[in-house]
Each structure stands twice: as C-alpha cells, then as structure tokens.
Amino acid sequence: MRAAADAVLRDHPVLAELGGLFATAGHELALVGGPVRDALLGRRVSDLDLTTSARPDDVERLVAGWADAVWDVGREFGTLGLRKGDDQIEITTYRTDAYDPTSRKPQVAFGDTLQGDLSRRDFTVNALALRLPSAEFVDEFGGLGDLAAGVLRTPVTPEQSFSDDPLRMMRAARFVAQLGFEADAATTAAMTAMAERIEIVSAERVRDELVKLVCGREPVAGLRLLVDTGLAEHVLPELPALRLTADEHHRHKDVYEHSLTVLEQAVELEHRLEQRPDFVVRFAALVHDIGKPRTRRFLDDGTVTFHHHDVVGAKMTRKRMKALRFSNEQIAQVGLLVELHLRFHGYGSGEWTDAAVRRYVRDAGDQLERLHILTRADCTTRNRRKAQRLQRTYDDLERRIEQLAAQEELDAIRPDLDGNQIQQLLGIGPGREVGEAYRFLLDLRLDRGPLGEDLAAEALRAWWSARS
C-alpha cells in the first residue's frame, strides 16, 4: 500500500499539491476508484478521478488560477474537469444518488462523507480511496482483501447495486475480462436473477462495455459470465444460441465452444496488427459462425449442414451491431470478415488460379490482414496432421498474395483504363454503360493481370461491339 501510494504521488506530483490546496480551504479530497485499484495492482495510472467534500462552485474557485484549464464535464452531476501540466483530472463532489427503478439515470444529491460516496461505487475494489495530501488509504468495504483475492463484490448488496444501475452487471463481466477476477457467488446470483434489467440501459452504454470486455486480456472469461448469467440473452443473444448447434467439422465441441476458441486464437495472432487489442478482428472471431443456428439442416445420413451460414451470419452481425449503435465503419468491417471467413476453404491444396487469388485480395480490401488472422484462428481441429496441412496451405496462399502484390501492386487493383478513358473510347457520356464497361475491364484485369492501355482498349472495343 505504501509503495503504491508513493508511486502515484511520485508520478503525479500535482495530486499532493492539489490536496494541500483543498485542505487549506477546509475541504477533503481523495483519489478514488480505478486509479487506486490500478496503483495497487502495479498498473500504470493515467486517469485521475478525485472526490471531494467541496461543492462544484467551491471547486471551481479553488482551482481557478492554479489549473491550466478548467471545463464542465458534468456540473449537474457534481463533476468538473481540469488540466495541470500533462495531467487531466476529474473532481466530483461526494454523492448519494437515488435511482428511479425505470431508469439508470440518478437523481443527483450531494453527500457529506467519503464513506457514503464510496458505498455507491460499483465494486469494493473500486471503492478504495487515497486521501490527499496525507496519502492515507481508506478501505471501508474490504476492497483490499477482494483485490488480493481477485474477487468482484459489491459494497452494498448486489441486488441494490444492480437495481440502482443495471450497467454494473456488464461492468462485472468487463472486469472479469480486463483484470482476470472472478465475480463472487452473490454477485453472480444477482446478475442471473436481474439480467432482464439491463434492457433499461441505452444501447450505446452496453456497446461501450462490450467493446472493453472483448478487448480485455481474458475476453472469453467475461463472455462466459455474460452467457452463464443470462445477460447475453439481452445484449448479444446470438452468442448463447450457438450452444444449441452441433458443428459438423468439430464434433468434439459445439459451435459456442468453437467460437470462443477461435476468439482466443485470434487474440494470439494479433501481433500481426499494428494496433492492438483490435476489437474488429476479435468480434469477428466471436460472431463468425452465428449464422449456423438459422442454416442448420439434418440430412438422412445423420450429418448436419450449415450451407450459406457465412452470408446469413454477416447479415445477422450487421443487424446486431446496428442495434448496438456501432459505427457504420465497424459494422462494415466486421460484416465483411464474417462474410468472407469461409472463402479460403475453396483454396484446397493450392489449385486457385492467379485470378482467384486476385479476387480474394480485392474482396477483402483493407481487411485482408484481419481476414488472414480470422481464417487461421478458425482452425480448431484436434487432428494435428489436419491442422498442420491447413496451416501450410494458408502459408502458401499468403506467399502467392505477396508475390502477386510485388508484381502488380495488388492492394490497389484497378482496370487499365479509367472512367474518362472509357467514355472517350466508346463515345458515350456518364451513365450505367460506363459502370458496366468498368466492371468488364476489372474482371479482365483480375483474370489476365495487367494488359496495358492498348490491349485493354482493344478488348473494350470488342466487348462493346459484341454487346451492341
């Protein structure tokens, strides 16, 4: 504890300075929540969240002239933001919120004690405080013990906590994924009994917690908690639906377990990307097979098929992500990966022509590297020989892509003639015919490689003449 306090104050000397400023004015000030937790875990502390007995107007007067900048983060909730040097700080007045059962938005009431403020925190490990400037630790609810044990427990009863703010149930799963903790039995039981209350929370807030969960160091553990408690039925119902589906390729596990394994293997391959964790490739790995329940068919010989589950799954993915208010860009990226995740299996043992390889790259576009990761991660067979064969085959495909790219700048495939040249050669104006001609030239380019403008013009005239 002493070492953690010393490290925080050494890395952020403004805290002691600010604490002295408030103490001189007769107000309490404490670092609280995540920064204290992370300091005790030996993690880097960046966000500085403080709580105080001072009211917002008093806070504003105290920091005026000391802070480099001050802004309203949410004055109505008692919060002001400020910047001092390289540090950004949020200061919130002690609160004792009351909640309407039909909404997660609190009716804000200011409190008088640090203990009362800590009691409204989501979990005991986040209800720790460091008084400033004395650097005295405050632990009213056993958070230090829970932190040492890796346990998530609520300061008040979990039923009260989750009734006040149902989003805390999502946070429990998120902290399991981020910190590697386990929710205690009472917390898990309350999440199971109250899962339906998550529906009063806005889609945007659920989405944000889901993204943090999926990008955690152990996302599968967090997802299992969502599914086991029934929360997933309300936020991502396509995931628990996979438990009902037998996978025709991997009979030793259902599609749910297969999908979690693919996610784990995608995480292991993220080193291929410049930025990580990468939500897009992780989420695509998680949902790549969600089309299987809808496309499952039982044949007379006892086998099970899932024809076109890639196309159906892509449509389902886009619909779910739209409901969760993801950006159009992310929806398009994940949807494309799900739609293409089976494409490689048509490659066989390397019989694809150069034209087929070009089409693979063209269709993947700027998602090619993520598609490489997803496709490799999708191999979960226990048959070592089969796994090695698939690995070698995909290695071969990537080598061919690199060779063609070096020859043809494959990542920017364009026809040999542009739209203006097409119009001039055919004597036509802008319109549908230009698009058709462009697609003809693009297919020609994919099938035969670069032709040059002269040969492309000759082929275009022949195509136009035959078409006429």
Side-chain angles (χ1 to χ4, degrees), residues 99 118-124 141 152-166 168-169 184-191 194 197:
Y99 286 82
L118 295 177
S119 71
R120 54 171 289 279
R121 304 280 164 169
D122 51 7
F123 301 103
T124 59
F141 302 99
L152 289 176
R153 189 170 55 84
T154 54
V156 295
T157 67
E159 289 80 7
Q160 179 184 337
S161 181
F162 299 153
S163 178
D164 286 346
D165 186 356
R168 289 170 177 169
M169 296 186 288
D184 77 336
T187 299
T188 303
M191 291 171 66
M194 304 175 67
R197 267 190 69 74

Side-chain angles (χ1 to χ4, degrees), residues 372-388:
H372 289 334
I373 292 174
L374 175 58
T375 304
R376 289 180 179 276
D378 195 23
C379 174
T380 61
T381 177
R382 290 181 178 178
N383 185 320
R384 186 176 180 182
R385 184 174 298 177
K386 180 179 179 182
Q388 290 176 339

Side-chain angles (χ1 to χ4, degrees), residues 115-158:
Q115 180 180 6
D117 183 86
L118 295 177
S119 71
R120 54 171 289 279
R121 304 280 164 169
D122 51 7
F123 301 103
T124 59
V125 296
N126 293 329
L128 298 166
L130 183 68
R131 290 188 183 276
L132 300 171
S134 65
E136 171 196 353
F137 267 102
V138 179
D139 178 18
E140 298 284 350
F141 302 99
L144 284 170
D146 291 341
L147 197 66
V151 172
L152 289 176
R153 189 170 55 84
T154 54
V156 295
T157 67

Side-chain angles (χ1 to χ4, degrees), residues 120-401:
R120 54 171 289 279
R121 304 280 164 169
D122 51 7
F123 301 103
T124 59
V125 296
N126 293 329
L128 298 166
L130 183 68
R131 290 188 183 276
L132 300 171
S134 65
E136 171 196 353
F137 267 102
V138 179
D139 178 18
E140 298 284 350
F141 302 99
L144 284 170
D146 291 341
L147 197 66
V151 172
L152 289 176
R153 189 170 55 84
T154 54
V156 295
T157 67
E159 289 80 7
Q160 179 184 337
S161 181
F162 299 153
S163 178
D164 286 346
D165 186 356
L167 189 64
R168 289 170 177 169
M169 296 186 288
M170 288 290 298
R171 288 202 195 110
R174 187 243 292 187
F175 287 130
V176 166
Q178 285 185 329
L179 303 176
F181 285 13
E182 290 186 4
D184 77 336
T187 299
T188 303
M191 291 171 66
T192 303
M194 304 175 67
E196 189 175 353
R197 267 190 69 74
I198 197 65
E199 293 186 2
I200 72 170
V201 181
S202 70
E204 292 83 357
R205 289 182 177 274
V206 170
R207 174 203 64 206
D208 291 346
E209 290 298 326
L210 183 61
V211 170
K212 292 174 183 177
L213 186 163
V214 171
C215 290
R217 74 183 191 189
E218 297 182 24
V220 168
L223 291 164
R224 287 192 188 280
L225 183 59
L226 285 185
V227 172
D228 293 343
T229 58
L231 271 169
E233 295 283 356
H234 303 280
V235 299
L236 190 62
E238 296 82 2
L239 182 58
L242 293 177
R243 291 189 297 185
L244 305 177
T245 308
D247 189 322
E248 82 281 18
H249 295 304
H250 312 281
R251 298 186 181 214
H252 60 277
K253 65 184 71 171
D254 60 22
V255 181
Y256 171 69
E257 291 295 336
H258 164 71
S259 299
L260 295 182
T261 301
V262 173
L263 171 56
E264 289 178 326
Q265 295 184 167
V267 172
E268 294 174 359
L269 292 169
E270 272 187 336
H271 61 83
R272 297 176 57 132
L273 302 173
E274 291 184 6
Q275 294 185 345
R276 49 191 183 272
D278 185 85
F279 171 77
V280 169
V281 76
R282 290 187 180 201
F283 197 64
L286 178 65
V287 302
H288 74 285
D289 273 347
I290 63 172
K292 283 191 169 181
R294 291 192 183 180
T295 58
R296 180 174 56 171
R297 299 291 182 271
F298 296 96
L299 303 184
D300 293 339
D301 61 1
T303 59
V304 184
T305 66
F306 304 95
H307 294 313
H308 309 301
H309 76 268
D310 47 345
V311 177
V312 173
K315 184 177 181 179
M316 294 170 62
T317 295
R318 295 183 183 107
K319 183 178 180 180
R320 175 56 53 194
M321 292 184 73
K322 184 177 181 180
L324 288 171
R325 304 291 193 271
F326 279 93
S327 68
N328 290 336
E329 180 182 18
Q330 286 181 311
I331 293 173
Q333 290 170 340
V334 177
L336 179 64
L337 291 172
V338 173
E339 189 171 337
L340 295 179
H341 82 271
L342 287 181
R343 182 73 65 86
F344 160 72
H345 295 286
Y347 187 68
S349 56
E351 299 90 348
W352 276 10
T353 63
D354 285 352
V357 175
R358 293 188 190 103
R359 291 180 190 279
Y360 188 77
V361 174
R362 181 194 67 176
D363 291 347
D366 60 2
Q367 299 305 300
L368 181 62
E369 191 60 44
R370 285 173 169 148
L371 183 58
H372 289 334
I373 292 174
L374 175 58
T375 304
R376 289 180 179 276
D378 195 23
C379 174
T380 61
T381 177
R382 290 181 178 178
N383 185 320
R384 186 176 180 182
R385 184 174 298 177
K386 180 179 179 182
Q388 290 176 339
R389 183 174 70 251
L390 287 170
Q391 180 83 9
R392 289 194 300 269
T393 303
Y394 206 86
D395 288 343
D396 180 66
L397 176 58
E398 286 204 54
R399 278 193 297 269
R400 290 185 65 187
I401 290 173

Side-chain angles (χ1 to χ4, degrees), residues 19-75:
L21 194 66
F22 274 67
T24 300
H27 297 294
E28 296 179 357
L29 185 70
L31 184 70
V32 69
V36 182
R37 178 201 69 217
D38 288 344
L40 289 165
L41 290 174
R43 299 172 57 164
R44 189 174 75 88
V45 174
S46 54
D47 298 328
L48 300 177
D49 296 325
L50 307 180
T51 187
T52 180
S53 59
R55 298 301 192 256
D57 290 345
D58 296 324
V59 173
E60 192 169 29
R61 283 193 295 269
L62 281 169
V63 300
W66 177 83
D68 298 329
V70 180
W71 58 89
D72 282 347
V73 175
R75 183 184 289 269

